[in-house]
Amino acid sequence: ILFTVFINLFLTKGETVLLHVGFITVTLEGVLLAAKMCIRLVLLIVGSSILTLTTTPIQLTDAIEYILKPFKKIGVPAHEIAMMMTIALRFIPTLLDETDKIMKAQQARGADFDTGNLIQKAKALIPILVPLFISAFRRAEELALAMEARCYHGGKGRTRLHVLKMHKNDWLAILSMAVLIACVILIGRLQ
């Protein structure tokens, strides 16, 4: 977030100059754009965190598949897309744990990730990325074999224990989000 703020703050050209020191120029337009981008990123992170912390992966899969269901008529594989997104969400914590284990193992062998300039720090990540990719591909292979062993064939003939139905609160949430999005678009057009 700070990187994005600094980039927008110092590299946005504008008419109203607030600060000019050497080659650094801060404009009012840059400050406004930096604030807007900061708010967007914070809301994106908070919104996605709230969604993933309050909704189970099964509910997310069912909801994504339900939303994409009309696109099945034109050949969009709704179930497969929903399954891929759910698997990706499921394996993010696993990959973070794996990254932490690999970093600790590399530090125990004498690797230093904290010192040096940006390029040296990026080069120090290579011993982490190679085992991480190998581990991710191994886990993907194991998952594919497990799904194949259980005769998983996508959404064909799949039944559900809990069928999703729209309730009053769902329609209220959709209406409130539509109003919020309309307000954001309207405010964006007024500027």
Side-chain angles (χ1 to χ4, degrees):
I1 293 172
L2 289 176
F3 179 73
T4 304
V5 167
F6 284 126
I7 291 294
N8 285 302
L9 189 64
F10 297 126
L11 297 180
T12 301
K13 304 289 184 209
E15 295 178 9
T16 311
V17 176
L18 299 177
L19 176 69
H20 182 72
V21 178
F23 65 91
I24 296 176
T25 304
V26 177
T27 62
L28 178 63
E29 292 81 5
V31 171
L32 293 175
L33 185 62
K36 189 187 297 185
M37 292 305 293
C38 178
I39 291 169
R40 283 180 180 173
L41 286 173
V42 168
L43 289 176
L44 178 70
I45 292 168
V46 169
S48 61
S49 296
I50 289 173
L51 176 69
T52 56
L53 291 172
T54 59
T55 310
T56 65
I58 299 296
Q59 289 173 331
L60 281 174
T61 304
D62 290 344
I64 292 168
E65 188 174 354
Y66 181 78
I67 289 171
L68 294 176
K69 192 185 293 184
F71 297 109
K72 279 186 177 181
K73 294 176 182 170
I74 59 171
V76 175
H79 178 76
E80 286 76 11
I81 291 172
M83 185 59 67
M84 284 188 297
M85 291 178 73
T86 303
I87 290 171
L89 283 174
R90 160 63 186 89
F91 280 105
I92 287 173
T94 305
L95 287 176
L96 290 175
D97 289 342
E98 191 76 25
T99 303
D100 188 49
K101 287 178 187 175
I102 293 170
M103 283 183 76
K104 287 180 181 174
Q106 295 292 348
Q107 286 173 341
R109 293 183 183 114
D112 187 19
F113 302 113
D114 298 327
T115 60
N117 60 19
L118 188 63
I119 294 173
Q120 290 171 337
K121 287 182 181 180
K123 285 183 180 179
L125 291 178
I126 292 174
I128 294 172
L129 293 177
V130 172
L132 184 64
F133 275 109
I134 292 171
S135 172
F137 286 127
R138 184 176 33 82
R139 286 184 190 276
E141 175 86 19
E142 290 171 359
L143 179 63
L145 289 173
M147 290 171 81
E148 177 120 5
R150 291 175 176 86
C151 298
Y152 178 79
H153 297 291
K156 291 187 289 187
R158 182 172 179 244
T159 59
R160 298 187 194 315
L161 179 61
H162 302 286
V163 179
L164 292 179
K165 294 179 183 165
M166 295 292 281
H167 298 301
K168 179 181 166 187
N169 289 340
D170 298 323
W171 290 111
L172 286 173
I174 289 172
L175 180 65
S176 63
M177 288 308 297
V179 168
L180 180 67
I181 290 170
C183 289
V184 168
I185 290 171
L186 183 64
I187 290 170
R189 300 234 183 225
L190 292 176
Q191 293 179 353

